[in-house]
Amino acid sequence: MEISRERLLWAYERMRLIREFEDRLHTDFAAGKIPGFVHLYAGEEAVAVGVCAHLGDDDFITSTHRGHGHCIAKGVDLRAMMAEIYGKATGSCKGKGGSMHIADVDRGMLGANGIVGGGPPLACGAGLTARLKGTDQVTACFFGDGASNQGTTFEGLNLAGIWKLPVVFVCENNGYAETTSPRYSVSGQDIAARARGFGMPSIAIDGLDFFAVYEAAGEAIARARRGEGPTFIEAQTYRYYGHFEGDSLKYRDQSEDAHYRALDCLNRFRTTVIEQELLSQAELDAIDAQAREAIEAAARFAAESPLPTAADLLTDVYVSYPAAGLWPFQEVNR
Ligand SMILES: Cc1ncc(C[n+]2csc(CCOP(=O)(O)OP(=O)(O)O)c2C)c(N)n1
Ligand SMILES: [Mg+2]
């Protein structure tokens, strides 16, 4: 599949920003600077970026508890993300949501999600909206191997199948749900095969290879835009850090980590584009330096931002539908 130089530069920049962002959070969390729970995406960058490379601001994504990579790939502001994770008033949810609630509807990022399997029904809602409005918007639905066992995921696959919704289901099989391997938890072992039972095309790919993800996602998203319905992609990948920051990782050994780090998606991308003379080493190095600076600036912004005040405690907690002009029903006497 063709890919322009601009798209390659964009893809490498996004993957590097995600890696720098996550590595920085790993350090800052250990230093006690981050409140709450944080799940890092480092290692899985090729999946989010390979999919979002085909999406514009009008398209939608749904995410997971491991959502930073999805947000960055969809273009969510880095400073607002960092400030949110630091719990600061300048954050995307004014510091009250944290890592697992970052959203940016203007960018089509419908929200990180603390509910495992929470994304597929939301993706069907976005897909149904596009169908009813007659737009060509596509929704990419990211979820994990663990979420592939959830009832909500099967319900979402079924609805998308019968209604031929423009949704691409992207299962990020990173080898673990918390501490549990899919070899133990996934009956039948083959996650991609499950989706075929819902009558949709389904493929398992090397999720550590940006180009494999780019190609599979490109075909799936084009099919959705043509109105031909959903596709399922199982992207086989790996998370470098623990399930959450603070995880002692007793369930896997160092050799496994070394095996996957040798297949690192950023290094493989660099090797491919240099060998094929698509981008130069100097261009890639310049992106590395800019990404380091951008993340440093975002972390500084977050650290220097104020905390929410006690007066903010009850604001932005619930949406007032009538006040926002969103109440869809006629007023009735109650
Ligand atoms: C409905 C629900 N059940 C259980 C949990 C607790 N939980 C949080 S993350 C997680 C594992 C998810 O694994 P997977 O879907 O593979 O995503 P990964 O963490 O590997 O990205 C579990 C069980 C939850 N948040 N929501
Ligand atoms: Mg997993």
Side-chain angles (χ1 to χ4, degrees):
M1 182 173 278
E2 286 293 305
I3 179 165
S4 69
R5 245 182 77 75
E6 288 67 40
R7 219 60 198 146
L8 282 174
L9 288 165
W10 172 89
Y12 185 71
E13 180 220 30
R14 290 291 120 186
M15 292 202 290
R16 182 57 72 193
L17 282 171
I18 298 171
R19 180 66 55 85
E20 288 289 333
F21 192 91
E22 300 296 63
D23 285 351
R24 174 70 188 230
L25 284 179
H26 180 69
T27 311
D28 284 358
F29 191 93
K33 294 182 187 171
I34 314 261
F37 251 78
V38 179
H39 307 85
L40 299 181
Y41 194 74
E44 305 188 26
E45 292 85 350
V47 185
V49 177
V51 172
C52 291
H54 300 280
L55 301 177
D57 283 350
D58 285 346
D59 296 308
F60 299 109
I61 62 168
T62 65
S63 179
T64 68
H65 54 285
R66 198 176 300 289
H68 309 160
H70 309 139
C71 291
I72 295 173
K74 200 69 173 60
V76 179
D77 182 65
L78 293 169
R79 299 195 319 166
M81 284 179 65
M82 194 66 99
E84 186 57 38
I85 296 165
Y86 269 66
K88 297 299 184 73
T90 52
S92 50
C93 305
K94 302 187 182 168
K96 291 187 239 175
S99 164
M100 274 185 279
H101 298 97
I102 296 174
D104 184 349
V105 177
D106 291 339
R107 291 280 179 174
M109 163 55 192
L110 299 180
N113 202 319
I115 310 298
V116 171
L122 296 178
C124 287
L128 185 59
T129 304
R131 256 206 64 184
L132 292 177
K133 286 185 166 173
T135 70
D136 73 347
Q137 291 160 296
V138 172
T139 302
C141 172
F142 296 101
F143 59 98
D145 45 288
S148 81
N149 292 324
Q150 292 289 89
T152 46
T153 302
F154 292 117
E155 291 165 31
L157 290 169
N158 189 57
L159 277 182
I162 56 165
W163 288 339
K164 285 213 169 309
L165 298 180
V167 176
V168 177
F169 293 94
V170 183
C171 178
E172 303 176 314
N173 181 357
N174 61 6
Y176 294 95
E178 294 196 350
T179 61
T180 306
S181 159
R183 283 193 295 276
Y184 175 83
S185 63
V186 172
S187 179
Q189 300 298 308
D190 188 343
I191 295 176
R194 293 175 160 191
R196 288 181 208 121
F198 292 94
M200 67 183 74
S202 180
I203 184 174
I205 57 163
D206 178 358
L208 300 169
D209 177 356
F210 167 82
F211 295 97
V213 179
Y214 182 80
E215 187 163 345
E219 284 173 17
I221 290 166
R223 182 179 303 123
R225 282 204 208 287
R226 290 196 301 269
E228 293 172 17
T231 303
F232 190 101
I233 298 170
E234 177 195 344
Q236 292 167 351
T237 181
Y238 193 71
R239 64 165 154 75
Y240 287 162
Y241 294 119
H243 170 61
F244 61 98
E245 287 311 275
D247 179 354
S248 56
L249 279 170
K250 291 205 175 101
Y251 50 91
R252 70 186 204 196
D253 63 33
Q254 289 289 323
S255 65
E256 186 182 287
D257 188 70
H259 169 79
Y260 283 104
R261 284 198 186 251
L263 300 171
D264 183 80
C265 61
L266 278 145
N267 291 343
R268 281 168 76 183
F269 183 98
R270 283 183 74 105
T271 306
T272 304
V273 296
I274 290 171
E275 269 175 15
Q276 297 187 12
E277 296 181 4
L278 299 170
L279 300 177
S280 72
Q281 183 152 342
E283 284 174 309
L284 297 166
D285 291 346
I287 289 173
D288 289 351
Q290 284 160 12
R292 264 195 303 277
E293 269 174 41
I295 299 307
E296 179 55 39
R300 211 176 317 119
F301 171 78
E304 289 168 0
S305 289
L307 288 163
T309 66
D312 299 323
L313 195 62
L314 298 178
T315 57
D316 301 313
V317 178
Y318 296 106
V319 173
S320 167
Y321 286 92
L326 293 170
W327 189 248
F329 308 112
Q330 295 288 327
E331 273 306 316
V332 289
N333 291 330
R334 266 174 262 175

